[in-house]
Amino acid sequence: MGNTQIEFRNVSFRYQEDMPWVLKDVSFTINNNEWVAMIGHNGSGKSTIAKLMNGLLFPQEGEILVDGQQVTASSVWDIRRKVGMVFQNPDNQFVGTTVRDDVAFGMENHGMARDLMLKRITESLEAVGMNGYERHEPHRLSGGQKQRVAIASVLAVSPQYIILDEATAMLDPKGRKEIMETIREVQSARDLSLVTITHDLLEVTQADRVIVMNGGEIWMEGTPRELFRKKEQLIEIGLDTPFVSKLAEELKGAGLPLTREPLNHQELLEELWTFHSTR
Amino acid sequence: MSNSMIIGQYIPGDSFVHRLDPRSKIAIIFFFVIIVFFANSVMSYGLLALFAIGSAATSRIPLTYIMKGLKPVWFLVIFTFLLHLIVTKQGEVLVSILGWEIYEEGLIQGAAISLRFFLLIMVTSLLTFTTTPIEITDAIEELLGPLKKVNFPVHELALMMSISLRFIPTLMQETEKISKAQASRGVDFRTGSFKDRVKAVIPLLVPLFVSAFKRAEELAMAMEARGYQGGEGRTKLRELHLGKSDVYLYIMFILLVIGLFLTRS
Ligand SMILES: Nc1ncnc2c1ncn2[C@@H]1O[C@H](COP(=O)(O)OP(=O)(O)O)[C@@H](O)[C@H]1O
Ligand SMILES: [Mg+2]
């Protein structure tokens, strides 16, 4: 296997010569089969990182390696096959006039044979639970359904990495839940690394690792549990912790000795009853 | 969404005409347009009309739809008919109305031109009734294919058409949303002077254009991220197939052409 990872080495980026640096000396690694969440306030450089990962932008300083191959203008077509992207707006990334045409779009670009396309369309629509919608036009789909089609379109070319840049931000709670479930299923069923950029701290709790961006720099890298221990600092850089974390904090303040940082209701509940039964 | 979202006039169906390869339909219409101008006898016009009516009948498109499709051109047909009637001064004088003399030749020419119009519009609207816009796009891309050799952007043109088809319903939904939002703030699009109404439309158009440009930019980015790099080396999911029906169509058309030249005077 060798090098199966995305690696940022001292990457700095700015959009124009006379503009301030948007990313400053950023280094990190996305490992094989890993789920990394990326958070940070608006303008902290998350989308820029996403675009650098599949060669929509190139850094002025440092280098980016995908499976050991540097992202450059000449390697970009290989890279884009390996690194799939799902964007925020469900409408503005739907290219085809129907679901199946849209799923085929990426495969057509990569010159895949028609038989393979037909097979992959079925498979990837099944993976996101959108089979049966092949002939639907986008205006007959909900936002969540369109985003699932966007995920299927990316899956169809079987990338090793999928980046979701606030893919749930424009959806209602139901659509959000749909997408998160889809992502979880896809990640567990396939050999795939995920980078989810989000504002929703609940989404963060599901990731293996979190990268927190602040002002174009990595502010923190660690597990979700480590992250939520830093409540005051998170609030300082304009991020909020989930309700469960806040409640746990209050409980600790009230003198309840919680042993670990609970990430969700279930974990908090476990903490509480073990505490209750051991006292 | 409602059916009004469907673009164009396509009426779903499974008739002989629906099943034809769109390339055949476009090619035949192209040649039909040419041969219509060769007709010059009652018999030859009869043959052309038979072909058009026969096609309409096999398409199983209700006559009322076809009539509705002809509606916008009625004016044009009557206008050209009257023009010929008035301007042509050959043959015998048939009648004289208020000093205006109507000649035999004028009547014949007027009728012939109107009939040509009708036939042309009938066959072309049959195309849009029985073929989805995306099929038409695919067919145009294929038919114009040879022009790629002289660097005509055939693929780009077809992509542009299909993206327009994709986004027309989206932009229509958006227009509706914005106009409702503006109406709820008291903007009135329907009453007032022309100037007032133009003024009322501006707050509708500005956000629509702003959003359309943003969409275009994001879409271009998304297409690039999915590996789009022009038509070179691209494969296609949608394929067009010539079938038995197309062969029948061509045979019928060749018979029509032969018949036409036999019945010309
Ligand atoms: N196309 C662009 N041209 C110039 N500046 C940009 C462009 N896109 C983003 N920026 C700037 O780069 C910074 C980081 O933006 P972005 O990566 O989109 O942040 P995030 O996704 O975390 O909100 C912001 O200050 C933003 O204004
Ligand atoms: Mg962003």
Side-chain angles (χ1 to χ4, degrees):
Chain A
M1 291 293 282
N3 256 331
T4 49
Q5 56 191 23
I6 297 183
E7 203 182 340
F8 270 52
R9 286 189 190 155
N10 308 98
V11 170
S12 295
F13 178 87
R14 55 182 167 185
Y15 280 91
Q16 264 155 43
E17 282 282 322
D18 51 351
M19 275 162 73
W21 291 96
V22 168
L23 296 179
K24 299 162 207 154
D25 196 22
V26 172
S27 300
F28 64 86
T29 304
I30 310 288
N31 295 310
N32 192 23
N33 243 326
E34 191 183 27
W35 183 344
V36 176
M38 193 172 278
I39 55 170
H41 61 80
N42 273 333
S44 58
K46 306 179 302 289
S47 296
T48 307
I49 289 182
K51 286 169 194 163
L52 285 164
M53 281 186 191
N54 77 346
L56 290 170
L57 298 172
F58 300 103
Q60 282 85 11
E61 278 170 35
E63 53 183 9
I64 298 160
L65 302 167
V66 175
D67 296 353
Q69 187 182 22
Q70 191 175 349
V71 182
T72 60
S74 57
S75 67
V76 89
W77 304 111
D78 294 335
I79 302 288
R80 284 181 192 159
R81 202 169 172 158
K82 283 184 188 166
V83 184
M85 281 262 255
V86 179
F87 296 90
Q88 181 175 34
N89 192 315
D91 258 318
N92 300 355
Q93 57 186 317
F94 205 114
V95 188
T97 42
T98 63
V99 168
R100 72 197 280 273
D101 284 318
D102 191 61
V103 175
F105 181 75
M107 296 191 279
E108 292 176 326
N109 291 338
H110 290 115
M112 284 164 66
R114 190 166 182 273
D115 293 341
L116 186 60
M117 285 200 248
L118 290 170
K119 191 172 145 253
R120 292 274 181 88
I121 289 171
T122 315
E123 284 172 3
S124 49
L125 284 178
E126 232 155 59
V128 300
M130 285 295 288
N131 37 341
Y133 287 89
E134 283 81 356
R135 306 273 168 183
H136 274 57
E137 294 95 354
H139 60 83
R140 285 162 64 199
L141 303 177
S142 71
Q145 288 176 322
K146 276 182 242 187
Q147 287 302 67
R148 269 148 69 190
V149 173
I151 294 172
S153 310
V154 167
L155 284 178
V157 293
S158 65
Q160 268 129 48
Y161 309 90
I162 298 185
I163 304 158
L164 295 106
D165 188 356
E166 303 197 29
T168 58
M170 289 180 70
L171 306 179
D172 55 16
K174 185 171 160 278
R176 239 174 239 221
K177 222 177 125 210
E178 273 172 30
I179 296 300
M180 288 318 288
E181 270 163 24
T182 306
I183 293 172
R184 214 176 308 129
E185 275 164 28
V186 163
Q187 213 253 351
S188 61
R190 296 182 184 219
D191 193 18
L192 195 70
S193 310
L194 276 182
V195 179
T196 50
I197 297 171
T198 179
H199 276 296
D200 189 338
L201 282 152
L202 268 176
E203 289 180 17
V204 173
T205 60
Q206 313 205 0
D208 303 317
R209 206 149 56 85
V210 191
I211 295 176
V212 185
M213 292 299 298
N214 187 36
E217 290 171 303
I218 294 186
W219 181 78
M220 193 210 119
E221 225 184 310
T223 62
R225 222 178 285 283
E226 284 164 6
L227 173 75
F228 294 132
R229 281 202 201 104
K230 306 195 171 195
K231 286 180 197 70
E232 293 83 23
Q233 291 110 299
L234 274 179
I235 290 163
E236 261 168 47
I237 65 159
L239 292 170
D240 202 3
T241 47
F243 174 71
V244 171
S245 275
K246 279 189 204 148
L247 183 59
E249 184 74 358
E250 291 291 319
L251 289 172
K252 269 192 229 166
L256 264 77
L258 300 183
T259 49
R260 56 172 191 170
E261 183 72 32
L263 283 183
N264 49 40
H265 290 88
Q266 192 58 40
E267 288 187 11
L268 179 61
L269 200 65
E270 269 169 37
E271 285 284 336
L272 287 177
W273 75 254
T274 40
F275 165 71
H276 185 74
S277 58
T278 50
R279 64 185 256 169
Chain B
M1 284 322 123
S2 60
N3 286 332
S4 66
M5 277 296 176
I6 290 168
I7 321 153
Q9 308 173 291
Y10 179 67
I11 300 167
D14 190 33
S15 73
F16 175 81
V17 184
H18 281 88
R19 283 196 307 270
L20 287 169
D21 187 313
R23 286 172 300 183
S24 304
K25 288 191 247 188
I26 292 176
I28 292 295
I29 286 172
F30 179 78
F31 289 113
F32 189 82
V33 170
I34 295 174
I35 64 166
V36 157
F37 290 95
F38 284 94
N40 64 357
S41 66
V42 174
M43 266 295 272
S44 56
Y45 275 110
L47 277 177
L48 289 173
L50 192 71
F51 182 80
I53 292 167
S55 306
T58 40
S59 75
R60 303 215 196 101
I61 301 291
L63 197 64
T64 49
Y65 280 95
I66 295 174
M67 282 304 161
K68 245 190 251 163
L70 292 175
K71 219 166 156 189
V73 292
W74 265 116
F75 171 77
L76 210 61
V77 171
I78 292 171
F79 180 76
T80 42
F81 177 75
L82 289 179
L83 201 70
H84 276 270
L85 206 59
I86 292 164
V87 173
T88 313
K89 300 207 184 313
Q90 283 165 3
E92 283 173 40
V93 176
L94 288 180
V95 279
S96 163
I97 306 162
L98 304 170
W100 267 107
E101 287 164 340
I102 306 288
Y103 291 83
E104 187 188 359
E105 203 54 28
L107 187 69
I108 292 172
Q109 279 201 19
I113 298 285
S114 314
L115 188 60
R116 278 178 194 168
F117 250 124
F118 263 127
L119 293 177
L120 294 183
I121 286 155
M122 198 158 152
V123 289
T124 42
S125 56
L126 265 186
L127 173 75
T128 53
F129 280 136
T130 62
T131 324
T132 60
I134 198 73
E135 277 180 321
I136 296 179
T137 306
D138 288 342
I140 290 175
E141 182 171 10
E142 291 275 318
L143 291 171
L144 294 183
L147 289 181
K148 276 183 207 157
K149 290 208 179 70
V150 293
N151 286 333
F152 186 79
V154 176
H155 162 75
E156 287 76 6
L157 186 77
L159 184 76
M160 231 165 69
M161 283 170 66
S162 83
I163 287 178
S164 313
L165 292 172
R166 145 75 186 90
F167 274 94
I168 286 167
T170 307
L171 292 177
M172 271 163 54
Q173 281 176 350
E174 188 156 359
T175 313
E176 205 178 299
K177 212 168 68 189
I178 297 173
S179 71
K180 273 184 188 152
Q182 306 286 19
S184 74
R185 288 176 202 148
V187 179
D188 187 355
F189 301 105
R190 284 185 189 81
T191 55
S193 69
F194 179 72
K195 205 175 132 210
D196 285 343
R197 271 184 291 170
V198 170
K199 265 193 187 159
V201 169
I202 288 170
L204 179 73
L205 284 184
V206 171
L208 197 64
F209 269 89
V210 170
S211 114
F213 278 109
K214 184 162 176 277
R215 280 182 198 286
E217 204 175 308
E218 289 189 19
L219 186 74
M221 174 84 72
M223 284 168 62
E224 218 187 312
R226 280 160 75 182
Y228 179 71
Q229 47 176 327
E232 202 71 28
R234 235 176 152 256
T235 45
K236 291 190 77 180
L237 175 70
R238 288 192 311 273
E239 277 184 340
L240 299 173
H241 289 290
L242 288 172
K244 242 191 212 154
S245 326
D246 297 281
V247 177
Y248 292 141
L249 176 70
Y250 291 127
I251 293 173
M252 289 301 292
F253 191 75
I254 290 167
L255 290 178
L256 173 70
V257 174
I258 294 170
L260 184 73
F261 281 93
L262 290 179
T263 53
R264 262 165 66 90
S265 56

